[in-house]
Amino acid sequence: TTTPTPTPEPSVTPRPTPEPTATPEPTVIPTPTPEPTVIPTPTPEPTITPSPTPEPTTTPTPTPTLTPARPQYAVTDLGTIDKGGQTFAWAINNSGEVAGYHVAFDGSVTEAFVYRDGAFQIIPHLGGNDTRAGSINNSGKVTGASATSSGDFHAYRWSPDGTMSGMMEDLGTLGGVNSRGAMINDIGEVVGSSLSSITDYYRAFIYKDGQMTDLGIPSKSDNMGTWANAINNFGWVTGAFNDPYSYHVYLRYSDGSVALGELGGGSSSQGFGINDAGQVVGAATNENGEYRAFIAKQDPMTGQWSTTDLGTLNSNLGESMAHAINKSGQIVGNSDTPAGLEAGFLYTGGVMYNLNSLITSNPTGIGGIYLQSKEWATGNAINDFGQIAAIGTIGGNEKGQKHALILTPVPAGAATQIPPNTSYNVVAPVTNSNTPNASTVSLVGGIASTNQSVRISFSSSLPSTKSSFAAASDVVNIAGTGFDTFVLQMSYNEAEAINTFGSEAEARLMWLDPDDNQWKPAVAGYTGGSSQQFINRAYDPSRDFQLGNHGIDTVNNTVWAVINHNGAFAAGKVLPAPTRDPSPTPSGGVLRSRSDLRR
């Protein structure tokens, strides 16, 4: 047996390992590194530690803005003085007395008149046969222009004196041949325009203390004119001055300083009315050369005028002119209409109304209602109770016969039946929303002793009385409470009270005593009481219900009194009589009762 010999492993000589050859790096074109996209990390919800739930806070519901009620007016047609003649109403005072003029049927005479208590009182001439009235103040005094025997016109002031003629005063001129009285304030001061002997142009004047004086309104040339159209009870005057191309409004203060106005964006402006707050109304041209009614007030510190364009009755197209403004800012004038005619307007509460659309009572059916002509616009065609002196045409035709009119706001009123042993505070408050003061009357206390029919009605004007009384409210008539003791409360116009009395705290609930036609505190008319205590706060039924107590609440603008009589009431004050009015000289005139007139 052969044992195999193992085959030896072959001897292997290792080969040397070569050095590796380095592979060259490739050429890399760098790519711009984009801005990193940042993924925001969510903010963790904060850990809220619960706290006790507070009582819910009640947010008061805002008072809605109410659209003012559309005014309503009743027409009083004054008729004519002779058959076929015409009458024109130019101005009205707070007693509802109207100043104007009538033209005879044959054109032979033009006579100025005052209409009061249903009768025309004719203002005498200054020697000619043409007299016109332009303004009447709250004392019934009138100014205008009257022809003299030479045919020239002179400004005049006429005063009632209880006779058929009244007293007529020729105010003269500034040396020229003609003058015209435009407006008279409650002090008896007259403003207007007169030809001057120096320049032979019209110059604005004021007549007071028995003398006519040039107001010294600067014009842009010595040979240009100035006109005064209106004056308020502080002696502030507005009107216009002219240059060779246009007219410009001005406001002259009682100290003689003058503010000149450039209004409306156009080249011309004129002031026709001003109230005691210094608000001026008139007309100014716009960029298109159209006259637009405006209201403006000048800041005496900065000299800047704030002006509002009142627009027109024709969707802001055409022209308009504002003639007068009362204490509450109601404005009247004339405007173009869509029919291409001219109509009177009332601007109140930011709205311009066509007067013809506001008439609810018109017994004679007269139409075509408009105001005084733009050639002689003056500043009191509306009184402080919203009554308007206007002109209407028979048949509404522009060429028809003209009649003087009084437009009177339709007053609010109510009647309430009160059973025995029932509180008078169940009578709903009545607000006279058709007037500037919008007075509210309430019966806030007292018990009816028997069946009572309580009647509350407002007067459309301040009754003519012997006392120098000023009201900061409408006049209300209360009837039907018998001799029961009750609490009468009435609102007043705060701005008017401050303007008239100096402080609203001076206002009281006043009563017109029918025995002597004098305004007195309301508690002066009660019977059976022993005291009159004034309380300077709101009425408190828990402690104030005592006959004779009365007071004022200046927070809520109300006056109140505990009384047991009826009558006419108002929030107001008896003022001292004006003292700066010089005595006029007498002349003649005619009083004509309406019942004696031929219609």
Side-chain angles (χ1 to χ4, degrees):
T1 304
T2 302
T3 304
T5 302
T7 303
E9 290 289 333
S11 176
V12 178
T13 303
R15 296 173 61 185
T17 303
E19 291 293 330
T21 302
T23 305
E25 292 289 333
T27 302
V28 179
I29 299 173
T31 303
T33 304
E35 291 291 329
T37 302
V38 179
I39 300 173
T41 304
T43 303
E45 292 290 330
T47 303
I48 300 175
T49 303
S51 58
T53 303
E55 291 293 327
T57 302
T58 303
T59 303
T61 303
T63 303
T65 301
L66 300 178
T67 302
R70 185 180 182 86
Q72 297 180 346
Y73 277 82
V75 173
T76 301
D77 186 342
L78 307 191
T80 62
I81 289 180
D82 65 342
K83 186 176 181 180
Q86 302 188 95
T87 53
F88 301 83
W90 229 248
I92 188 167
N93 66 13
N94 284 344
S95 296
E97 299 169 336
V98 171
Y101 64 93
H102 93 95
V103 180
F105 170 70
D106 58 4
S108 60
V109 65
T110 298
E111 294 177 306
F113 67 76
V114 172
Y115 183 90
R116 62 165 65 89
D117 299 327
F120 288 99
Q121 183 167 6
I122 301 303
I123 294 175
H125 298 296
L126 290 177
N129 63 355
D130 191 336
T131 301
R132 306 183 185 217
S135 175
I136 183 170
N137 71 9
N138 286 324
S139 299
K141 297 178 181 179
V142 176
T143 192
S146 180
T148 65
S149 57
S150 64
D152 300 325
F153 280 87
H154 282 192
Y156 68 84
R157 181 174 59 187
W158 176 87
S159 303
D161 64 355
T163 69
M164 294 179 65
S165 60
M167 293 191 293
M168 187 74 161
E169 184 178 10
D170 185 340
L171 304 188
T173 71
L174 291 174
V177 295
N178 289 323
S179 63
R180 173 181 74 92
M183 189 170 177
I184 183 170
N185 66 12
D186 288 343
I187 302 169
E189 297 168 332
V190 174
V191 294
S193 307
S194 171
L195 279 174
S196 168
S197 60
I198 299 175
T199 66
D200 202 30
Y201 281 83
Y202 276 96
R203 298 290 301 174
F205 73 77
I206 184 168
Y207 185 92
K208 63 179 181 179
D209 301 326
Q211 184 175 0
M212 180 182 288
T213 305
D214 189 322
L215 281 173
I217 306 301
S219 60
K220 294 190 175 182
S221 168
D222 291 338
N223 294 324
M224 295 291 108
T226 61
W227 293 263
N229 294 327
I231 182 172
N232 69 13
N233 290 318
F234 295 104
W236 298 7
V237 181
T238 190
F241 66 94
N242 75 328
D243 59 29
Y245 308 103
S246 57
Y247 296 87
H248 307 274
V249 67
Y250 69 82
L251 174 58
R252 181 188 186 273
Y253 294 97
S254 55
D255 63 1
S257 60
V258 179
L260 307 179
E262 301 289 345
L263 307 178
S267 60
S268 290
S269 57
Q270 300 184 57
F272 293 119
I274 184 171
N275 62 12
D276 285 349
Q279 294 172 300
V280 174
V281 296
T285 54
N286 59 16
E287 296 83 354
N288 299 323
E290 299 169 318
Y291 270 103
R292 293 294 178 82
F294 72 79
I295 177 173
K297 189 167 184 179
Q298 198 257 355
D299 186 333
M301 301 300 295
T302 65
Q304 298 298 311
W305 291 78
S306 58
T307 309
T308 301
D309 182 339
L310 305 187
T312 73
L313 293 173
N314 187 20
S315 302
N316 216 30
L317 300 175
E319 296 191 328
S320 59
M321 178 177 291
H323 293 185
I325 181 170
N326 66 10
K327 68 180 182 181
S328 300
Q330 291 184 307
I331 302 167
V332 292
N334 290 323
S335 171
D336 291 341
T337 69
L341 303 175
E342 185 178 63
F345 72 76
L346 168 69
Y347 184 91
T348 184
V351 180
M352 179 182 284
Y353 298 97
N354 187 326
L355 285 174
N356 294 273
S357 71
L358 303 181
I359 306 304
T360 60
S361 175
N362 188 0
T364 63
I366 198 163
I369 297 172
Y370 68 101
L371 268 67
Q372 48 191 233
S373 68
K374 59 187 176 184
E375 288 79 14
W376 196 2
T378 56
N380 65 329
I382 183 170
N383 69 16
D384 291 335
F385 292 90
Q387 287 183 296
I388 301 169
I391 303 157
T393 54
I394 299 297
N397 188 323
E398 276 190 324
K399 297 181 180 180
Q401 185 184 19
K402 305 296 189 293
H403 283 198
L405 308 176
I406 300 174
L407 307 184
T408 300
V410 177
T416 306
Q417 301 299 318
I418 309 295
N421 302 315
T422 302
S423 174
Y424 278 110
N425 63 19
V426 302
V427 177
V430 180
T431 300
N432 197 20
S433 58
N434 283 332
T435 65
N437 289 317
S439 300
T440 297
V441 173
S442 307
L443 274 59
V444 295
I447 302 294
S449 59
T450 61
N451 283 307
Q452 302 283 29
S453 178
V454 178
R455 298 178 300 282
I456 300 175
S457 62
F458 285 92
S459 297
S460 56
S461 63
L462 189 66
S464 179
T465 67
K466 297 179 180 178
S467 52
S468 299
F469 177 71
S473 73
D474 299 322
V475 177
V476 66
N477 300 287
I478 304 294
T481 61
F483 293 101
D484 291 343
T485 299
F486 65 99
V487 185
L488 178 62
Q489 179 174 279
M490 187 172 192
S491 69
Y492 61 85
N493 184 323
E494 179 181 352
E496 177 61 19
I498 294 172
N499 185 50
T500 305
F501 313 139
S503 168
E504 64 174 312
E506 296 292 315
R508 298 289 185 271
L509 184 62
M510 304 292 285
W511 164 66
L512 182 59
D513 188 341
D515 291 337
D516 58 9
N517 201 33
Q518 298 272 9
W519 283 96
K520 301 174 182 178
V523 292
Y526 76 89
T527 57
S530 58
S531 66
Q532 296 181 11
Q533 181 182 359
F534 174 73
I535 301 170
N536 190 19
R537 56 170 167 76
Y539 171 72
D540 183 347
S542 67
R543 51 179 171 163
D544 296 337
F545 188 72
Q546 179 177 331
L547 191 61
N549 282 355
H550 60 290
I552 183 171
D553 177 7
T554 56
V555 175
N556 296 301
N557 302 136
T558 59
V559 289
W560 57 271
V562 185
I563 56 178
N564 61 0
H565 64 98
N566 293 169
F569 299 88
K573 180 182 178 181
V574 175
L575 301 176
T579 58
R580 288 194 285 161
D581 190 7
S583 299
T585 55
S587 184
V590 180
L591 177 66
R592 300 184 184 176
S593 170
R594 187 173 183 181
S595 61
D596 295 334
L597 301 177
R598 291 175 296 165
R599 303 300 298 275

